[in-house]
Amino acid sequence: MRIVVATKNQGKIKEIKELLGDIEGLEILSMIDFDDLKDVEIEENGATFEENAYIKALFVAKKTGLPALADDSGLEVDVLGGRPGVKSARFGGPGLTDGERNEKLLALLKNVPLKDRTARFKCVMVLVVPPDFERYVTYGVCEGVIVDKPRGTFGFGYDPIFYLPKFGKTMAELTTEEKNAMSHRGKALRTMKEIIKEVLFGKSY
Ligand code: ITT
Protein backbone atom coordinates (compact mmCIF):
# COMPACT_ATOMS: atom_id res chain seq x y z
CA MET A 1 0.00 0.00 0.00
CA ARG A 2 1.34 3.41 -0.95
CA ILE A 3 0.72 6.89 0.40
CA VAL A 4 2.15 10.15 -0.98
CA VAL A 5 3.19 12.96 1.30
CA ALA A 6 2.18 16.15 -0.53
CA THR A 7 5.39 18.04 0.15
CA LYS A 8 8.92 18.60 -1.10
CA ASN A 9 10.15 19.87 2.29
CA GLN A 10 12.89 17.38 3.30
CA GLY A 11 12.54 18.26 6.98
CA LYS A 12 8.86 17.34 6.98
CA ILE A 13 9.48 14.18 4.93
CA LYS A 14 12.07 12.97 7.44
CA GLU A 15 9.82 13.52 10.45
CA ILE A 16 6.76 11.98 8.78
CA LYS A 17 8.70 8.90 7.60
CA GLU A 18 10.16 8.41 11.07
CA LEU A 19 6.74 8.42 12.70
CA LEU A 20 4.69 6.50 10.11
CA GLY A 21 7.54 4.21 8.98
CA ASP A 22 6.49 1.33 11.20
CA ILE A 23 3.00 0.90 9.73
CA GLU A 24 3.24 -2.56 8.26
CA GLY A 25 2.94 -2.76 4.48
CA LEU A 26 2.94 1.02 3.98
CA GLU A 27 5.30 2.60 1.45
CA ILE A 28 5.71 6.33 2.07
CA LEU A 29 6.42 8.42 -1.02
CA SER A 30 6.66 12.19 -1.46
CA MET A 31 6.29 14.60 -4.39
CA ILE A 32 10.03 14.20 -5.00
CA ASP A 33 9.43 10.59 -6.11
CA PHE A 34 7.19 11.63 -9.03
CA ASP A 35 8.70 13.13 -12.21
CA ASP A 36 5.54 15.15 -12.85
CA LEU A 37 5.38 16.49 -9.26
CA LYS A 38 8.97 17.01 -8.19
CA ASP A 39 9.18 20.51 -9.71
CA VAL A 40 5.58 21.56 -9.10
CA GLU A 41 4.82 24.50 -6.78
CA ILE A 42 1.25 24.08 -5.57
CA GLU A 43 -0.35 27.47 -5.08
CA GLU A 44 -1.23 27.77 -1.39
CA ASN A 45 -3.85 30.49 -1.54
CA GLY A 46 -5.95 29.35 1.42
CA ALA A 47 -6.52 31.62 4.43
CA THR A 48 -5.85 28.90 7.01
CA PHE A 49 -3.46 25.99 7.62
CA GLU A 50 -6.35 23.60 7.06
CA GLU A 51 -7.36 25.09 3.72
CA ASN A 52 -3.77 25.00 2.48
CA ALA A 53 -3.23 21.42 3.63
CA TYR A 54 -6.43 20.37 1.85
CA ILE A 55 -5.37 22.16 -1.36
CA LYS A 56 -2.03 20.27 -1.35
CA ALA A 57 -3.46 16.86 -0.46
CA LEU A 58 -6.30 17.06 -3.00
CA PHE A 59 -3.94 18.16 -5.77
CA VAL A 60 -1.55 15.26 -5.16
CA ALA A 61 -4.31 12.65 -4.66
CA LYS A 62 -5.84 13.67 -8.01
CA LYS A 63 -2.48 13.63 -9.80
CA THR A 64 -1.35 10.26 -8.46
CA GLY A 65 -4.60 8.40 -7.74
CA LEU A 66 -3.04 7.52 -4.37
CA PRO A 67 -3.97 8.55 -0.84
CA ALA A 68 -2.20 11.86 -0.16
CA LEU A 69 -1.17 13.32 3.17
CA ALA A 70 -0.41 17.04 3.39
CA ASP A 71 1.06 19.05 6.25
CA ASP A 72 0.50 22.76 6.52
CA SER A 73 2.23 24.34 9.43
CA GLY A 74 3.76 27.52 10.72
CA LEU A 75 4.94 29.66 13.57
CA GLU A 76 2.73 32.15 15.42
CA VAL A 77 4.55 34.80 17.47
CA ASP A 78 2.24 36.52 19.97
CA VAL A 79 3.93 39.93 20.00
CA LEU A 80 3.67 39.98 16.18
CA GLY A 81 -0.07 39.34 16.32
CA GLY A 82 0.34 35.72 15.23
CA ARG A 83 2.67 36.38 12.32
CA PRO A 84 4.25 34.81 10.31
CA GLY A 85 1.44 32.20 10.64
CA VAL A 86 0.23 30.74 7.35
CA LYS A 87 2.94 32.76 5.60
CA SER A 88 5.80 31.16 7.61
CA ALA A 89 7.45 29.54 4.58
CA ARG A 90 7.54 32.88 2.72
CA PHE A 91 8.22 35.24 5.64
CA GLY A 92 10.74 37.96 4.77
CA GLY A 93 10.45 37.36 1.03
CA PRO A 94 11.02 34.51 -1.42
CA GLY A 95 14.42 32.90 -1.90
CA LEU A 96 15.70 33.37 1.67
CA THR A 97 17.44 30.52 3.48
CA ASP A 98 16.02 29.27 6.78
CA GLY A 99 18.91 31.05 8.53
CA GLU A 100 18.13 34.37 6.83
CA ARG A 101 14.46 34.04 7.71
CA ASN A 102 15.37 33.43 11.35
CA GLU A 103 17.59 36.54 11.35
CA LYS A 104 14.71 38.63 9.95
CA LEU A 105 12.41 37.41 12.67
CA LEU A 106 15.00 38.02 15.40
CA ALA A 107 15.53 41.58 14.11
CA LEU A 108 11.78 42.24 14.50
CA LEU A 109 11.94 41.04 18.11
CA LYS A 110 15.16 42.86 18.96
CA ASN A 111 13.87 44.93 21.88
CA VAL A 112 11.27 42.47 23.11
CA PRO A 113 12.11 40.89 26.51
CA LEU A 114 12.20 37.10 26.74
CA LYS A 115 8.98 36.89 28.77
CA ASP A 116 7.06 38.50 25.90
CA ARG A 117 8.53 36.29 23.17
CA THR A 118 5.97 33.50 23.48
CA ALA A 119 5.11 31.60 20.31
CA ARG A 120 3.70 28.35 19.02
CA PHE A 121 4.11 25.99 16.13
CA LYS A 122 0.86 24.76 14.61
CA CYS A 123 0.38 21.85 12.25
CA VAL A 124 -2.66 20.63 10.35
CA MET A 125 -2.51 17.27 8.61
CA VAL A 126 -5.00 16.43 5.89
CA LEU A 127 -5.39 12.98 4.32
CA VAL A 128 -7.34 12.76 1.05
CA VAL A 129 -8.32 9.29 -0.14
CA PRO A 130 -9.32 8.46 -3.73
CA PRO A 131 -11.52 7.47 -5.49
CA ASP A 132 -14.03 9.61 -3.55
CA PHE A 133 -11.42 12.04 -2.20
CA GLU A 134 -12.82 11.97 1.32
CA ARG A 135 -10.87 14.09 3.76
CA TYR A 136 -9.52 13.42 7.26
CA VAL A 137 -8.01 16.21 9.37
CA THR A 138 -5.83 16.25 12.51
CA TYR A 139 -4.16 19.07 14.47
CA GLY A 140 -1.13 19.66 16.66
CA VAL A 141 0.22 22.63 18.62
CA CYS A 142 3.54 23.11 20.42
CA GLU A 143 4.17 26.09 22.73
CA GLY A 144 7.57 27.74 23.13
CA VAL A 145 9.58 30.97 23.27
CA ILE A 146 11.67 32.70 20.59
CA VAL A 147 15.26 33.00 21.83
CA ASP A 148 17.60 35.79 20.77
CA LYS A 149 20.28 33.62 19.09
CA PRO A 150 19.93 30.48 16.93
CA ARG A 151 21.02 27.25 18.64
CA GLY A 152 21.32 23.68 17.32
CA THR A 153 21.65 22.06 13.92
CA PHE A 154 18.86 19.48 13.75
CA GLY A 155 15.43 19.99 12.25
CA PHE A 156 14.60 22.79 9.82
CA GLY A 157 12.95 26.19 9.48
CA TYR A 158 12.52 28.09 12.74
CA ASP A 159 13.72 25.21 14.94
CA PRO A 160 17.03 26.90 16.00
CA ILE A 161 15.20 29.92 17.50
CA PHE A 162 12.24 28.04 19.03
CA TYR A 163 13.05 27.32 22.68
CA LEU A 164 11.27 24.74 24.81
CA PRO A 165 11.51 25.81 28.49
CA LYS A 166 10.56 22.29 29.64
CA PHE A 167 13.57 20.76 27.87
CA GLY A 168 16.02 23.67 28.25
CA LYS A 169 16.74 23.28 24.52
CA THR A 170 15.71 24.70 21.19
CA MET A 171 13.84 22.46 18.79
CA ALA A 172 17.04 22.26 16.70
CA GLU A 173 18.86 20.65 19.63
CA LEU A 174 16.48 17.69 19.62
CA THR A 175 16.86 14.53 17.52
CA THR A 176 14.05 13.72 15.08
CA GLU A 177 12.69 11.18 17.54
CA GLU A 178 12.76 13.63 20.46
CA LYS A 179 11.16 16.36 18.35
CA ASN A 180 8.39 14.03 17.14
CA ALA A 181 7.62 13.07 20.74
CA MET A 182 6.40 16.57 21.56
CA SER A 183 6.16 18.66 18.41
CA HIS A 184 3.08 20.05 16.66
CA ARG A 185 3.75 17.68 13.74
CA GLY A 186 4.27 14.69 16.03
CA LYS A 187 0.95 15.35 17.76
CA ALA A 188 -1.01 15.75 14.51
CA LEU A 189 0.73 12.68 13.06
CA ARG A 190 0.03 10.32 15.95
CA THR A 191 -3.71 10.89 15.58
CA MET A 192 -3.41 10.66 11.80
CA LYS A 193 -1.49 7.39 12.12
CA GLU A 194 -4.53 5.70 13.66
CA ILE A 195 -6.76 7.10 10.92
CA ILE A 196 -4.38 5.87 8.21
CA LYS A 197 -4.31 2.38 9.70
CA GLU A 198 -8.09 2.28 9.95
CA VAL A 199 -9.01 3.89 6.62
CA LEU A 200 -6.37 2.35 4.39
CA PHE A 201 -6.16 -1.07 6.00
CA GLY A 202 -6.98 -3.85 3.54
CA LYS A 203 -7.08 -1.51 0.54
CA SER A 204 -4.55 -1.68 -2.27
CA TYR A 205 -3.21 1.51 -3.76
P1 ITT B 1 5.22 22.18 1.65
O1 ITT B 1 4.16 23.22 1.45
O2 ITT B 1 5.81 21.65 0.37
O3 ITT B 1 4.79 21.08 2.58
P2 ITT B 1 6.59 24.31 3.04
O4 ITT B 1 7.92 24.43 3.71
O5 ITT B 1 6.23 25.36 2.02
O6 ITT B 1 6.49 22.85 2.39
P3 ITT B 1 4.37 25.17 4.67
O7 ITT B 1 3.74 25.92 3.57
O8 ITT B 1 3.50 24.31 5.55
O9 ITT B 1 5.50 24.19 4.15
O10 ITT B 1 5.17 26.19 5.56
C1 ITT B 1 5.61 25.79 6.80
C2 ITT B 1 6.76 26.66 7.25
O11 ITT B 1 6.64 26.86 8.67
C3 ITT B 1 8.08 25.94 7.02
O12 ITT B 1 8.66 26.26 5.78
C4 ITT B 1 8.89 26.43 8.20
O13 ITT B 1 9.44 27.69 7.91
C5 ITT B 1 7.85 26.61 9.29
N1 ITT B 1 7.74 25.36 10.07
C6 ITT B 1 6.72 24.44 10.06
N2 ITT B 1 6.97 23.41 10.85
C7 ITT B 1 8.19 23.65 11.38
C8 ITT B 1 9.02 22.92 12.25
O14 ITT B 1 8.67 21.74 12.72
N3 ITT B 1 10.19 23.46 12.57
C9 ITT B 1 10.58 24.65 12.10
N4 ITT B 1 9.87 25.39 11.24
C10 ITT B 1 8.67 24.89 10.89
Side-chain angles (χ1 to χ4, degrees):
M1 186 169 51
R2 289 173 296 163
I3 188 170
V4 190
V5 183
T7 187
K8 294 183 290 179
N9 180 320
Q10 296 283 5
K12 289 185 183 178
I13 294 169
K14 187 167 186 222
E15 290 171 23
I16 292 168
K17 282 191 170 172
E18 167 120 1
L19 219 150
L20 300 184
D22 62 355
I23 300 181
E24 215 178 311
L26 185 70
E27 186 184 354
I28 304 167
L29 304 165
S30 77
M31 288 172 70
I32 294 165
D33 298 308
F34 294 82
D35 282 341
D36 58 346
L37 288 177
K38 67 180 194 303
D39 298 316
V40 171
E41 290 300 333
I42 303 171
E43 200 189 336
E44 296 180 36
N45 49 16
T48 61
F49 294 122
E50 186 166 340
E51 279 174 26
N52 282 335
Y54 181 60
I55 288 168
K56 292 187 270 193
L58 186 64
F59 181 88
V60 170
K62 284 193 167 162
K63 274 270 185 202
T64 61
L66 297 171
L69 177 66
D71 163 316
D72 204 68
S73 44
L75 178 70
E76 291 180 354
V77 180
D78 290 324
V79 77
L80 300 178
R83 280 194 301 146
V86 286
K87 299 208 173 96
S88 291
R90 292 154 281 170
F91 172 73
L96 296 186
T97 63
D98 283 349
E100 288 165 343
R101 238 181 273 287
N102 286 338
E103 289 306 327
K104 290 242 173 202
L105 190 62
L106 292 183
L108 279 185
L109 300 180
K110 204 166 159 234
N111 297 315
V112 180
L114 200 64
K115 71 169 180 49
D116 295 331
R117 296 167 77 115
T118 48
R120 69 203 50 75
F121 277 126
K122 282 190 175 169
C123 174
V124 179
M125 289 270 164
V126 174
L127 174 71
V128 170
V129 184
D132 298 329
F133 302 104
E134 68 260 29
R135 142 188 17 191
Y136 302 86
V137 187
T138 66
Y139 307 86
V141 179
C142 180
E143 301 286 339
V145 176
I146 305 299
V147 276
D148 59 352
K149 264 200 214 83
R151 267 168 50 182
T153 54
F154 297 129
F156 67 98
Y158 301 98
D159 282 343
I161 60 170
F162 190 85
Y163 180 76
L164 299 147
K166 217 167 113 185
F167 291 79
K169 287 180 176 176
T170 68
M171 202 85 120
E173 294 175 301
L174 301 180
T175 63
T176 305
E177 202 181 345
E178 288 169 336
K179 178 176 171 183
N180 271 343
M182 37 63 66
S183 74
H184 50 311
R185 183 163 300 102
K187 287 173 187 158
L189 266 177
R190 270 187 291 282
T191 317
M192 186 54 85
K193 188 174 190 175
E194 297 311 309
I195 294 172
I196 289 171
K197 287 199 261 186
E198 210 174 294
V199 171
L200 301 187
F201 184 78
K203 296 199 176 140
S204 54
Y205 285 102

